[in-house]
């Protein structure tokens, strides 16, 4: 019996740890789903006029703005399954009360990137946003070609001479000039906790199998 004791203890402790990690991921999944539901509810809430003071704690706040694009814009490399590859057009936007902010007007495909988009008056319903898109491997903007690889609100504001405030358009009234709004959504927020939980449970099952195999080999040696 003593021969079985160590592998049994090792197997039981290992399985307990692995199962507990899987259960922790399931709890994280529940937390993440609640968080995503809260974000989705906030995104779809009743819009309010753009507040006088804006900060990142207001991320996803639905707002309305009215004003005029300046013709100055940044093209951010983008794409989707439905729209294909192209660019998100981020324009300098002067509100009717004189504020200069950033407006993510939406998507244009490769063929229409350089289409003329002179100043135009727009009424916009959208959401405040501070995208977290830059990473260690994100290239610096190609300023010569006006191609950016991530929406970096402070850097874009400096480049276009605006407040560090970005409104992502969900609905536009006026001449959209061929730009298709790409509203803020939860699709880009990762939620991999279920797959992580399954992985931990599968490892626990494999650990139990290896423990059983070890005990079987020890038993065979006794005969």
């Amino acid at each position: 019996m003593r021969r079985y004791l160590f592998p049994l203890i090792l197997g039981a402790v290992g399985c307990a740890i692995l199962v507990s990690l899987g259960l922790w991921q399931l709890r994280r999944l529940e937390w993440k789903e609640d968080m995503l539901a809260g974000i989705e509810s906030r995104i779809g809430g009743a819009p309010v006029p753009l507040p006088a003071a804006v900060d990142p704690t207001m991320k996803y706040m639905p707002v309305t703005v009215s004003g005029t694009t300046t013709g100055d814009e940044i093209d951010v490399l983008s794409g989707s399954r439905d729209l294909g590859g192209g660019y998100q057009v981020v324009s300098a936007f002067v509100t009717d009360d004189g504020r200069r902010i950033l407006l993510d007007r939406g998507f244009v495909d490769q063929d229409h990137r350089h289409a003329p988009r002179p100043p135009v008056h727009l009424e916009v319903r959208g959401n405040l946003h501070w995208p977290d898109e830059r990473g260690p491997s994100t290239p610096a903007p190609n300023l010569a070609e006006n191609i950016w690889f991530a929406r970096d609100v402070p850097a874009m504001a400096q480049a276009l001479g605006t407040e560090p405030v970005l409104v992502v358009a969900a609905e536009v009234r006026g001449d959209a000039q061929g730009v298709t709004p790409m509203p803020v959504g939860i699709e880009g927020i990762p939620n991999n906790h279920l797959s992580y939980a399954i992985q931990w449970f599968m490892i626990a099952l494999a650990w139990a199998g290896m423990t059983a195999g070890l005990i079987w080999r020890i038993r065979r040696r006794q005969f």
Side-chain angles (χ1 to χ4, degrees):
M1 186 63 186
R2 291 180 179 178
R3 294 183 178 184
Y4 301 139
L5 187 59
F6 178 72
L8 281 172
I9 292 174
L10 185 63
V13 171
C15 284
I17 292 173
L18 293 167
V19 169
S20 68
L21 289 171
L23 294 174
W24 175 70
Q25 286 293 345
L26 289 179
R27 291 193 294 272
R28 292 281 294 174
L29 173 65
E30 184 178 358
W31 164 81
K32 194 61 166 286
E33 288 178 339
D34 288 343
M35 185 193 76
L36 292 176
I39 292 174
E40 196 167 31
S41 176
R42 188 174 187 185
I43 290 172
V48 298
L50 182 66
V54 177
D55 64 71
T57 64
M58 299 176 177
K59 188 174 182 176
Y60 304 120
M61 175 184 287
V63 296
T64 57
V65 290
S66 177
T68 305
T69 62
T70 65
D72 301 321
E73 66 181 38
I74 285 170
D75 299 333
V76 183
L77 193 65
S78 182
S80 70
R81 182 181 302 174
D82 297 330
L83 299 173
Y87 298 85
Q88 281 177 257
V89 178
V90 178
S91 296
F93 186 78
V94 180
T95 65
D96 290 341
D97 58 0
R99 296 176 65 179
R100 188 178 171 98
I101 65 170
L102 298 167
L103 175 64
D104 184 336
R105 300 177 61 183
F107 179 85
V108 292
D109 60 26
Q110 300 274 1
D111 295 336
H112 295 90
R113 178 192 167 205
H114 295 295
R117 284 183 285 274
V120 62
H121 189 272
L122 301 172
E123 295 179 3
V124 179
R125 178 180 63 82
N127 298 83
L128 292 173
H129 199 25
W130 282 264
D132 184 17
E133 297 175 344
R134 281 192 58 82
S137 60
T138 304
N142 183 339
L143 300 180
E145 297 292 334
N146 190 31
I147 297 176
W148 292 53
F149 302 95
R151 290 175 296 177
D152 182 335
V153 172
M156 293 190 302
Q158 184 175 8
L160 294 180
T162 71
E163 296 180 41
V165 174
L166 174 67
V167 174
V168 179
E171 180 182 336
V172 174
R173 293 183 179 180
D175 182 5
Q177 298 175 321
V179 183
T180 303
M182 291 184 68
V184 173
I186 63 172
E187 294 78 11
I189 303 176
N191 183 14
N192 302 315
H193 298 294
L194 180 58
S195 63
Y196 294 156
I198 292 172
Q199 290 175 22
W200 285 121
F201 291 141
M202 292 298 292
I203 296 172
L205 185 62
W207 189 277
M210 289 188 296
T211 302
L214 178 59
I215 293 173
W216 178 77
R217 291 180 63 184
I218 294 172
R219 185 172 182 276
R220 286 198 63 183
R221 288 174 185 171
Q222 292 179 339
F223 296 98

